[in-house]
Amino acid sequence: MAALDRYRVNQKKHRHIVIARMLQSTVALAVLTSWATGFVPVPQKNVVTKTRTEGMTSFVRLGRLIAKTSHGHLAARGEDDEDEDDIDLSDQDWRAFRAKLVMTEPTTSENSASSTEPSSTTTLQDEDDLDGIGSVFASPTSGVSVEEDVIEGGTGMEGSTSFLTPLDPSQWAYDSGNVIEQGAVILGGVEQEFGFGLRQQYFHKAAILVLDHDDSTFTKGIILNRPSDRMLADDVNEVLWRVWCGGDVQGINSPNPEIVCLHSLNLPLMGEDAAPASVQVMKDIQWTTFDNAKDLVKMGVAKPTDFWVFCGYAGWGPGQLMGELDRKSWYMVATDSQTLLKELARQSSSADPRDAGLDTWELLMNMIGRGETVEECSGDFDDLMLKEWAREHLLSIEAGGGAMRSQQDAALEEVDSMKQTSLPIDRLLKRVSAAVKANDVTVGSLVRASSADRSPFLLQKQEFHKSLVLIISDDENLTVGCILNRPASKGLTLEQIDKKTLEKKTLTMPLRFGGEYAVKGKENLLWLHCNPDLREANVGSEVGVASKDNIWKCTQDEALGAVSNGLATPSDFLVVSGVCVWTKGEGGTARGIQGEVQKGSFEVIASDSVPSVWDCLLKQEVVTPLNLLKTIRTGNQAWEVGGTSNNQGDPSQDSSKAAQDMTVLDGIGEGYDEEDDSLVFKSDKKISSLCDDALQTWVATFLLGSPGLGA
């Protein structure tokens, strides 16, 4: 209960700030100026005469009424304060009042036009109208059409004529700008230059409900549109609870996830101190702990299906979310509880985890008038990457996904299952072959990334997709290697003097990205060659065991000396900056490069293929916007050459290639088959092609510094 008590104290402490934010978000700053000089008196209760300006002034007074009824007395000015003490709005959703006023507020141009004309006046006979607010909700029969007023005002966004695309009369939503508050929804933005396609795909087009916000400390929210088909065991009631991905902090892959249970129930008091079992987020939506939810089910006052169970949350430090809003990483949205509850119910009953909740994001975006943005980015690279993330993390293994298990865990369990159950002979032979090849990986070995259509590096570490890695160190603690086929946008400039003509020539060698870890010290660049003449002249030393086909390493001075003596040219060398590391741990969970080979993430290149691979690598240049695709293709060709001897006699490679070239004819829509595992779910995009796109986007973003040149 400590977490619940902390939230109650925090909410009480900052209630005045919440009211101030509410007033600001209704575009009432101009009205506040007039309020400071003189407050508009309340009309008679039975006959209300109200202009548009008076409506906004009335909303200021409504904010004061809400503050008094919901949070205690809040000091206010005006002669009518004593009359307001008897008004109770505690059972009303003040967000709905605010939304109606925001969505019917005229634009600046309309205000300017109306200032030259007599103001229109509407008279209502309504005993339930409080302070003139009822006229905002007036029906057409009473002389004011809310729908017409909304269309006149407009939003100024994408040519839309309304803040709201109504689903039914009780549902609403609008863009609330940079107003961050409890109960608001944060929608994933799509206008930033660098999106979530390569990293943290779960944030792409997310709909995040703010559970708590304090400008000076922390903002906490849960993602509402990432349902999974994973079930959580309940040791109290012996039932199963369906779980959703709520965020990356103590999330679904965490050994100790934080679980938040949303619901819309009127729950009884719990515990000896009679404390409420839940914290209210907004009208009709509360949250409680998983332990409380289990107890409520045991008491018979609730069922597991009454709750939405979220593992993990999203969090921002002081000022962090506001900075991301300024960069257009998110859109802040105010909406009603029924819209959210209906979406949660729909996702629970019919949503496929592989859809990744994109339709929920699209619904809310359309409701706030951003329909054109929805159409422009539908089915783009980030959408496809999100669907693949959902398949890997939200879809259960039984259904063909890999929910809540890392690839290492899955590989270990499959290896263990080999000891207990019989496998098809072809799979068993492949496993045995992989184990043997893993033991053959030593210092000096050249390995290449997996040739599987669904690359193990699709969702993370995309730099390894179709990579060639030279192993330069291996001990009981870790394996160190360097990637060879990732030229960067910077080159190494050298001056060469022709001994015959004595002319100086300036040459630029590609500086290659070898990995994310920097090498400290004087020799921070690794010079490599595979030249027989240089081997014979003992320029440098072999990497690993000596062999006629092995790659050698040398210092910069040794390389330049060989060039000066005419033994080589600069184009005979590769210059690499940075290394990649694979750790080794007890229990076999991290087994260095040997473990990567055994589980199929990498393949060992035969030594007799190394010279051919090297020749392809020498064709790569410093990467530029103009040669980006050519440089990547050349690196991929080197990768393909490295697999030529490995694939001989393996019929699965030929069948995989044939399947890749097949035209998809079946499916629920034209051009795709939702059950075809070689395609992204509900699309005609081949997984193998998406993996290549991910590599291109990684190179464009991190090596070229131009995310816009990605896929």
Side-chain angles (χ1 to χ4, degrees), residues 22 26 59 62 66 91-104 133 136-137 146 164 169-174 181 282-284 334-338:
M22 176 191 70
T26 59
F59 179 72
L62 173 63
I66 297 171
D91 62 340
Q92 304 295 320
D93 184 3
W94 59 266
R95 297 174 190 273
F97 285 91
R98 181 178 68 180
K100 290 293 185 179
L101 290 168
V102 170
M103 291 186 289
T104 56
I133 299 300
V136 177
F137 303 93
V146 174
L164 173 67
S170 66
Q171 292 183 251
W172 51 265
Y174 64 89
E181 61 188 2
M282 58 194 300
K283 186 178 185 292
D284 295 331
T335 188
D336 66 291
S337 58
Q338 290 306 307

Side-chain angles (χ1 to χ4, degrees), residues 293-420:
K294 290 188 292 185
D295 289 342
L296 290 166
V297 172
K298 186 176 182 180
M299 293 166 55
V301 299
K303 305 183 298 295
T305 53
D306 291 328
F307 299 90
W308 293 277
V309 182
F310 297 86
C311 289
Y313 64 91
W316 293 265
Q320 182 182 356
L321 180 55
M322 186 62 70
E324 293 178 5
L325 287 171
D326 293 338
R327 295 192 296 272
K328 297 185 178 180
S329 297
W330 311 98
Y331 308 116
M332 290 303 305
V333 175
T335 188
D336 66 291
S337 58
Q338 290 306 307
T339 295
L340 300 181
L341 290 172
K342 288 181 179 179
E343 274 303 290
L344 289 170
R346 182 192 62 79
Q347 291 181 88
S348 295
S349 62
S350 61
D352 190 308
R354 293 170 292 180
D355 280 322
L358 288 170
D359 43 5
T360 297
W361 181 86
E362 292 174 355
L363 168 72
L364 292 170
M365 286 287 285
N366 280 309
M367 289 182 70
I368 65 174
R370 293 185 178 270
E372 291 184 9
T373 300
V374 171
E375 294 180 2
E376 289 172 358
C377 64
S378 178
D380 63 7
F381 170 74
D382 289 358
D383 278 9
L384 299 174
M385 292 293 284
L386 172 62
K387 286 186 175 182
E388 278 300 295
W389 177 88
R391 176 192 177 277
E392 177 65 25
H393 293 273
L394 304 182
L395 189 67
S396 64
I397 294 174
E398 294 77 10
M404 295 191 183
R405 298 197 314 176
S406 69
Q407 291 183 345
Q408 289 182 342
D409 291 338
L412 288 173
E413 289 184 19
E414 189 166 358
V415 170
D416 291 339
S417 69
M418 290 173 54
K419 303 175 183 178
Q420 303 172 9

